[in-house]
Amino acid sequence: MKHPRKLVFCCTGSDCKKSGGKSIRKELKEAAKNGEIKGLVKLIQTKCMDMCKSAPVVIVGDHFCKKATLEKVFNELKKP
Ligand code: FES
């Protein structure tokens, strides 16, 4: 059975945090609560995923967003 919500993994390691991961996570959390992606995503925080060179790292479903921005994450979420 397919999960109704997309899983979004946000790295909370120090390198990702420093390069903007913290604000991405905050914005996603807000959007998942009352915004356009309400009820569509399940946010999961992870520790360092050992890809710090591509920080901030966000995984949407089975797609890696390297050097993630909020826009990239939203684009990925909109894909079926
Ligand atoms: S801190 Fe995010 S991958 Fe290492």
Side-chain angles (χ1 to χ4, degrees), residues 23 25 52-53 61 72:
S23 64
R25 191 161 51 88
C52 307
K53 278 189 182 157
K72 275 188 193 173

Side-chain angles (χ1 to χ4, degrees), residues 20-54:
K22 201 175 179 183
S23 64
I24 292 179
R25 191 161 51 88
K26 220 171 134 190
E27 303 254 2
L28 280 175
K29 206 172 166 186
E30 199 52 46
K33 237 180 177 181
N34 347 306
E36 52 178 307
I37 54 170
K38 189 178 178 186
L40 298 177
V41 300
K42 169 84 182 144
L43 287 178
I44 298 164
Q45 295 180 30
T46 70
K47 291 188 176 164
C48 177
M49 296 189 262
D50 221 9
M51 294 183 289
C52 307
K53 278 189 182 157
S54 312

Side-chain angles (χ1 to χ4, degrees), residues 11-17 47-52 55 57:
C11 177
T12 57
S14 57
D15 280 342
C16 287
K17 244 190 212 170
K47 291 188 176 164
C48 177
M49 296 189 262
D50 221 9
M51 294 183 289
C52 307
V57 176

Side-chain angles (χ1 to χ4, degrees), residues 63-74:
H63 179 84
F64 274 99
C65 293
K66 292 175 178 175
K67 301 206 185 288
T69 59
L70 206 55
E71 200 187 342
K72 275 188 193 173
V73 175
F74 273 112

